[in-house]
Amino acid sequence: MDKKYKNLEELIEVVAKLRAPDGCPWDREQTHASLRPNMLEEAYEAVDAIDDNDAPHLREELGDVLLQVLLHSQIASEANEFTLDDVAKELKEKLIHRHPHVFGTAKIDNADDVLKTWEKLKSEEKTERKSAMDGLSRSQAALIAAQKISKRAIKTGFEWPNEESLYECIMSEIDEFKEAEKEKDKAHMEEEMGDILFAIVNLARWNKIDAEQALLKANKKFEKRFRKMEDLAIKPLNDYSFEEFDNLWKQAKKSLGN
């Protein structure tokens, strides 16, 4: 291996040693299933580092993500399922096949055409998929899944005629939720709330807004304002009336300038 990848080669050996009979008891006990939460957690922490534009933190979190890849590959290797080299080989071949403008003779002029070519080649590879909904991850966050489902549906032509019809759909779903609320039917309320959220995701998609990113930013903004409220409070928050809370919230917004 090239000397510049010496640490990667040694890291692979370290992971193998952790899983060896004389290795770490915790690592030896792990399975694909037991490591599932770790994969999700490490990926989200890496995304946090990206959002914070924190390169040292991102370097650390990418290492944690890499560890998950190495552990899963080592576990699979021990079960004679596949090896890390198999993972790398399959990814390499996929990248070469889906970038004919780089590794072949195809001419592609812009990023949009690259995505179209990627999707076309992907569909040719996945011949077992019959429905536009085949291949969707069942483990991803619901908001991300809603965006993907919506995007796949519109590729078949299943789209609202205009933005106004989307607003009408949202209001209709809100009305249906109110009816379910009157009935005190929790199951029906949950169903209608889901329809409201899905309709709003479509409104975001219509306006080329990433609903997941929009909500993440809203979460961070709320958290920042709430922390400022805590700083500005002159008595325990539990003692505030609604009107006092409203005034404190406005003070926090003004103090933060947003």
Side-chain angles (χ1 to χ4, degrees):
M1 181 176 283
D2 193 305
K3 284 185 178 180
K4 66 181 178 180
Y5 298 121
K6 178 175 178 289
N7 286 312
L8 179 58
E9 188 173 46
E10 291 177 353
L11 175 60
I12 294 170
E13 293 174 357
V14 166
V15 172
K17 175 64 176 176
L18 289 173
R19 289 279 304 174
D22 60 342
C24 171
W26 184 89
D27 287 284
R28 290 204 314 270
E29 288 180 358
Q30 300 315 302
T31 65
H32 292 308
S34 71
L35 288 170
R36 180 184 182 279
N38 303 59
M39 178 71 83
L40 290 169
E41 181 179 347
E42 301 302 354
Y44 278 121
E45 289 181 1
V47 170
D48 282 342
I50 292 171
D51 290 343
D52 294 338
N53 196 28
D54 187 337
H57 188 201
L58 177 59
R59 179 183 62 211
E60 177 189 356
E61 296 304 337
L62 287 177
D64 291 341
V65 172
L66 177 58
L67 173 59
Q68 297 306 306
V69 174
L70 296 178
L71 279 169
H72 282 285
S73 298
Q74 179 63 31
I75 291 169
S77 177
E78 293 163 7
N80 295 316
E81 295 169 342
F82 59 82
T83 67
L84 179 61
D85 193 59
D86 294 329
V87 173
K89 179 176 181 290
E90 187 167 334
L91 176 58
K92 176 197 70 176
E93 291 174 351
K94 181 193 297 183
L95 290 174
I96 292 172
H97 181 244
R98 294 188 188 177
H99 291 83
H101 53 294
V102 177
F103 301 101
T105 58
K107 300 297 181 184
I108 298 178
D109 299 322
N110 55 63
D112 286 341
D113 287 342
V114 169
L115 290 176
K116 289 176 183 175
T117 300
W118 178 281
E119 289 299 328
K120 179 177 181 295
L121 292 171
K122 184 177 178 179
S123 65
E124 291 173 358
E125 294 168 4
K126 308 292 184 179
T127 54
E128 73 281 3
R129 295 181 181 177
K130 305 303 180 185
S131 168
M133 299 298 158
D134 285 347
L136 286 166
S137 170
R138 298 186 301 276
S139 302
Q140 62 191 344
L143 196 58
I144 296 174
Q147 292 183 124
K148 290 188 175 182
I149 290 169
S150 177
K151 287 177 181 178
R152 289 197 181 191
I154 65 168
K155 286 180 182 178
T156 69
F158 188 67
E159 175 66 297
W160 276 265
N162 50 53
E163 189 174 6
E164 187 58 36
S165 63
L166 260 171
Y167 283 112
E168 291 172 0
C169 175
I170 292 170
M171 296 311 299
S172 173
E173 299 297 353
I174 290 174
D175 288 340
E176 290 180 16
F177 177 81
K178 289 178 178 178
E179 288 299 316
E181 194 174 23
K182 288 177 184 177
E183 298 166 2
K184 298 188 180 345
D185 185 335
K186 278 289 184 182
H188 191 195
M189 287 168 63
E190 183 182 75
E191 177 186 351
E192 297 303 338
M193 180 58 70
D195 290 344
I196 292 170
L197 294 171
F198 192 83
I200 289 173
V201 165
N202 274 283
L203 179 62
R205 190 258 312 154
W206 182 279
N207 287 283
K208 295 181 170 57
I209 292 171
D210 186 302
E212 178 76 9
Q213 288 302 311
L215 186 55
L216 283 172
K217 290 176 181 177
N219 290 345
K220 289 181 179 180
K221 181 169 65 176
F222 182 90
E223 180 184 345
K224 188 176 180 181
R225 288 178 180 173
F226 194 86
R227 289 180 183 276
K228 178 55 69 173
M229 283 175 57
E230 291 175 318
D231 292 340
L232 295 172
I234 58 176
K235 60 182 178 180
L237 290 180
N238 287 336
D239 294 341
Y240 275 71
S241 66
F242 176 80
E243 290 75 17
E244 289 175 318
F245 259 127
D246 189 48
N247 288 330
L248 192 60
W249 180 260
K250 289 173 181 175
Q251 288 177 47
K253 285 180 62 177
K254 184 176 180 181
S255 176
L256 294 168
N258 58 20

Short mmCIF file of all heavy atoms in Angstrom, two decimals, residues 8-9 126 140 194 232:
data_model
loop_
_atom_site.label_atom_id
_atom_site.label_comp_id
_atom_site.label_asym_id
_atom_site.label_seq_id
_atom_site.Cartn_x
_atom_site.Cartn_y
_atom_site.Cartn_z
N LEU A 8 -4.14 4.12 7.35
CA LEU A 8 -5.37 3.40 7.03
C LEU A 8 -5.14 1.90 7.12
O LEU A 8 -5.96 1.15 7.67
CB LEU A 8 -5.86 3.78 5.64
CG LEU A 8 -7.13 3.08 5.15
CD1 LEU A 8 -8.30 3.34 6.11
CD2 LEU A 8 -7.49 3.55 3.73
N GLU A 9 -4.00 1.45 6.59
CA GLU A 9 -3.68 0.03 6.65
C GLU A 9 -3.53 -0.44 8.09
O GLU A 9 -4.05 -1.50 8.48
CB GLU A 9 -2.38 -0.23 5.88
CG GLU A 9 -2.04 -1.70 5.71
CD GLU A 9 -0.84 -1.89 4.81
OE1 GLU A 9 0.17 -1.17 5.01
OE2 GLU A 9 -0.90 -2.75 3.91
N LYS A 126 -30.55 -1.51 -11.34
CA LYS A 126 -31.53 -2.07 -10.41
C LYS A 126 -32.76 -2.57 -11.17
O LYS A 126 -33.88 -2.09 -10.99
CB LYS A 126 -31.95 -1.00 -9.39
CG LYS A 126 -30.80 -0.30 -8.69
CD LYS A 126 -30.04 -1.24 -7.75
CE LYS A 126 -28.96 -0.49 -7.00
NZ LYS A 126 -28.21 -1.37 -6.06
N GLN A 140 -34.38 5.67 7.32
CA GLN A 140 -34.05 7.09 7.33
C GLN A 140 -35.13 7.92 8.04
O GLN A 140 -36.24 7.46 8.27
CB GLN A 140 -33.86 7.60 5.90
CG GLN A 140 -35.10 7.50 5.04
CD GLN A 140 -34.79 7.75 3.57
OE1 GLN A 140 -33.74 8.26 3.23
NE2 GLN A 140 -35.69 7.39 2.69
N GLY A 194 -50.04 13.40 10.00
CA GLY A 194 -49.08 12.91 9.01
C GLY A 194 -49.35 13.49 7.64
O GLY A 194 -48.42 13.87 6.91
N LEU A 232 -32.32 35.96 30.03
CA LEU A 232 -33.01 37.22 30.31
C LEU A 232 -34.02 37.10 31.46
O LEU A 232 -34.42 38.12 32.03
CB LEU A 232 -33.73 37.71 29.05
CG LEU A 232 -32.85 38.10 27.86
CD1 LEU A 232 -33.72 38.38 26.64
CD2 LEU A 232 -31.99 39.31 28.20
#
